[in-house]
Amino acid sequence: MAERDGPEIIGRRVQQLRTARGLTQKQLAEPVYTPAYISTLEAGRVRASEPALRHIAERLGVAYEELATGRPAHLATDLRLRLTDAQRTLATGEAEVAAEQYDGLLAEADAHGLVAEQAAALLGLGECALETGDLETARKRFEESEERLGDAPLPNRVPAIRGRAVSHYLAGELRYACYLFESTLDELNRTGMHDPDALLLLYTGIIAPYMDMGAQARAAQAAELALALAPQVGDPALVARMHRSVARTMIAEGRMAEADASLAKAAELYRQLQIRTELANCHWMRGYLYAQNGELARAEGELREAQAMLSAKRAALYTSQVAVELADVLHRRGKSEEAATLLHEVLGDLSPERGAVHSAGAHRLLGIIAEDARDTEAAEEHYVRALSLLERAGAAGDLADLCRLLGDLLRRTGRVEAALDAYRTGLGHRTAPGTTTLGPAPAQPPL
């Protein structure tokens, strides 16, 4: 239940409501209390007990919560109901419409000081911004949501932390994204807070930054753990719809506590629907592994599945990233023209501050395709642009290979000194396959 206002505020509220209804202090007090008590209460000189406020609320014809807090009756429950509606909208891919809903809900929650609802609305706004690729706004909203939650248990704060980590990752800040994911996973698992939903959010989220850092072994392990947790989610859409409908009937019947519980279940299930975006990462990871093993047909199938899942969610930035991976497989399968067309289509959605690593990957592959077509000038231009993007992001896993490609091209065109510089740069970033300069891997959950 929401915290009560102070005695002076409640006193003024009682006086205003009593006057508006044309009641005397004696009429309001009877038969349990005295007019003097009502006078003292209205003057703010006494903190009324809950039974006294409930008696006064009944005499005034208002809900106890409204008298004690100044908020309309059942406001918090109504806001939670509409928050689940916004989550449903976002889950169906209407990110811009959902953002408008969340904005209105945040304004209402702010006006009435409902902290939990403020945090939920801010989290939703962050998710909307991620879906549309507005990374700076997303990061700010996730930070604000986490601030509102304050000292809430860590599993409650995980969605906001995960959002922050993804925002930093997509902006090319790989090491910090991995730090956020790993430190949170470690704290959850070492302290025994094995919340399946929180763990699934984190394990699915960390796959992509691990891959770009060159930590394939850790990425594969995270994908394995995510897939082991995923069956606990199942297909929540139907169940969520049921809980939401049940909550509406309970509200109509005045069964507010039960309605709140049903809404909490619906909200959680709609939030889990967002995991479909991240479960695409698992198909993405499988596609990568199949490609590494030379199983290109299977790799193409997994990557197309990931692309379809993300495209259905209208997740433009994520879809573009998978398209780069898919183009690489298409090129290796002899479909270079299709691969180049796909890359040119998605490059406009990528930039140094928005999907930097995959933007570099697109330029790298376009360079290879240009070399195959004996267009060395275009190939060099693509390699240099890719190198600049990777150095900025610190993606050690790809830098060494790119420097080798650029060095070979420069050597073949007679620029030996420039080629040596490229090779030296690559050696400085060389790492063994599957390793990273990150710290120890986080503790694992007892699956």
Side-chain angles (χ1 to χ4, degrees):
M1 187 172 291
E3 187 176 344
R4 285 169 45 175
D5 290 331
E8 291 184 2
I9 296 174
I10 291 178
R12 285 197 298 272
R13 188 174 298 132
V14 169
Q15 185 180 40
Q16 289 167 358
L17 290 169
R18 177 181 63 77
T19 304
R21 285 156 176 72
L23 297 173
T24 65
Q25 291 179 337
K26 181 179 180 182
Q27 289 172 322
L28 185 58
E30 292 177 340
V32 182
Y33 301 96
T34 65
Y37 177 76
I38 298 298
S39 176
T40 305
L41 186 152
E42 289 183 350
R45 295 197 297 269
V46 64
R47 179 177 175 80
S49 65
E50 183 177 329
L53 279 188
R54 289 194 179 278
H55 164 80
I56 294 169
E58 183 179 352
R59 299 287 287 172
L60 291 170
V62 298
Y64 165 78
E65 181 183 358
E66 185 171 356
L67 184 63
T69 67
R71 298 166 190 155
H74 314 317
L75 172 69
T77 301
D78 178 62
L79 278 175
R80 282 191 285 275
L81 179 63
R82 286 184 285 146
L83 280 166
T84 63
D85 287 340
Q87 287 172 309
R88 179 173 57 87
T89 303
L90 178 57
T92 58
E94 298 286 345
E96 293 176 354
V97 177
E100 292 179 4
Q101 292 176 277
Y102 281 123
D103 271 326
L105 291 165
L106 178 60
E108 286 189 55
D110 281 342
H112 297 284
L114 295 169
V115 177
E117 287 70 25
Q118 290 170 10
L122 286 164
L123 180 67
L125 285 168
E127 294 288 356
C128 291
L130 269 189
E131 291 285 320
T132 57
D134 186 351
L135 302 182
E136 185 176 354
T137 297
R139 179 180 53 77
K140 288 179 180 177
R141 294 294 176 264
F142 289 129
E143 287 175 352
E144 291 169 358
S145 178
E146 193 177 355
E147 287 171 5
R148 295 292 205 284
L149 292 170
D151 297 327
L154 182 57
N156 294 6
R157 292 182 278 120
V158 159
I161 296 171
R162 168 259 174 200
R164 281 204 295 132
V166 172
S167 301
H168 285 288
Y169 159 66
L170 293 174
E173 299 162 11
L174 309 184
R175 187 174 302 280
Y176 187 61
C178 285
Y179 163 75
L180 284 174
F181 277 123
E182 288 196 337
S183 59
T184 309
L185 277 167
D186 205 42
E187 187 175 350
L188 279 172
N189 289 325
R190 290 192 184 282
T191 55
M193 291 185 283
H194 304 299
D195 183 285
D197 300 324
L199 290 171
L200 183 57
L201 274 176
L202 295 169
Y203 281 122
T204 53
I206 202 171
I207 292 171
Y210 270 162
M211 294 288 292
D212 293 344
M213 288 289 290
Q216 286 91 345
R218 287 198 191 182
Q221 184 181 52
E224 182 181 344
L225 291 168
L227 289 169
L229 288 161
Q232 300 180 39
V233 176
D235 183 7
L238 188 59
V239 180
R241 192 177 305 119
M242 178 272 292
H243 282 301
R244 188 167 143 268
S245 299
V246 166
R248 289 191 185 279
T249 64
M250 289 175 174
I251 291 171
E253 295 169 4
R255 298 155 61 193
M256 306 313 296
E258 294 169 83
D260 275 350
S262 194
L263 282 174
K265 293 175 184 175
E268 178 61 22
L269 290 165
Y270 280 125
R271 187 183 65 76
Q272 287 175 354
L273 281 168
Q274 302 307 312
I275 297 172
R276 288 183 179 177
T277 298
E278 301 211 12
L279 285 178
N281 282 342
C282 297
H283 289 285
W284 189 347
M285 179 67 193
R286 280 176 168 165
Y288 173 85
L289 290 176
Y290 288 145
Q292 292 293 100
N293 292 331
E295 301 175 70
L296 299 182
R298 295 182 73 183
E300 182 178 343
E302 290 288 344
L303 291 170
R304 288 195 185 278
E305 176 68 18
Q307 188 182 38
M309 291 173 69
L310 294 167
S311 180
K313 295 272 299 162
R314 302 184 186 179
L317 179 54
Y318 296 138
T319 305
S320 297
Q321 290 177 312
V322 174
V324 175
E325 304 272 352
L326 176 59
D328 182 58
V329 171
L330 292 172
H331 167 67
R332 291 169 63 186
R333 297 196 73 191
K335 306 174 185 178
S336 296
E337 188 174 338
E338 183 182 352
T341 300
L342 183 58
L343 292 170
H344 284 298
E345 285 175 356
V346 302
L347 264 178
D349 291 327
L350 303 168
S351 71
E353 293 79 27
R354 191 172 183 271
V357 173
H358 285 82
S359 180
H363 283 294
R364 172 190 175 278
L365 185 52
L366 285 169
I368 292 172
I369 293 171
E371 270 205 88
D372 292 343
R374 303 184 186 281
D375 187 348
T376 56
E377 184 177 341
E380 182 180 346
E381 181 182 346
H382 283 300
Y383 288 153
V384 169
R385 292 175 73 176
L387 183 63
S388 173
L389 288 161
L390 290 177
E391 285 183 323
R392 179 184 179 278
D398 297 325
L399 265 167
D401 175 65
L402 182 63
C403 289
R404 177 188 61 78
L405 289 170
L406 178 59
D408 289 349
L409 175 64
L410 293 169
R411 181 171 52 81
R412 282 195 297 272
T413 55
R415 287 168 288 172
V416 178
E417 284 300 320
L420 287 172
D421 286 340
Y423 289 140
R424 291 189 191 103
T425 301
L427 286 171
H429 293 289
R430 187 168 178 266
T431 57
T435 65
T436 176
T437 53
L438 295 168
Q444 294 186 30
L447 292 175

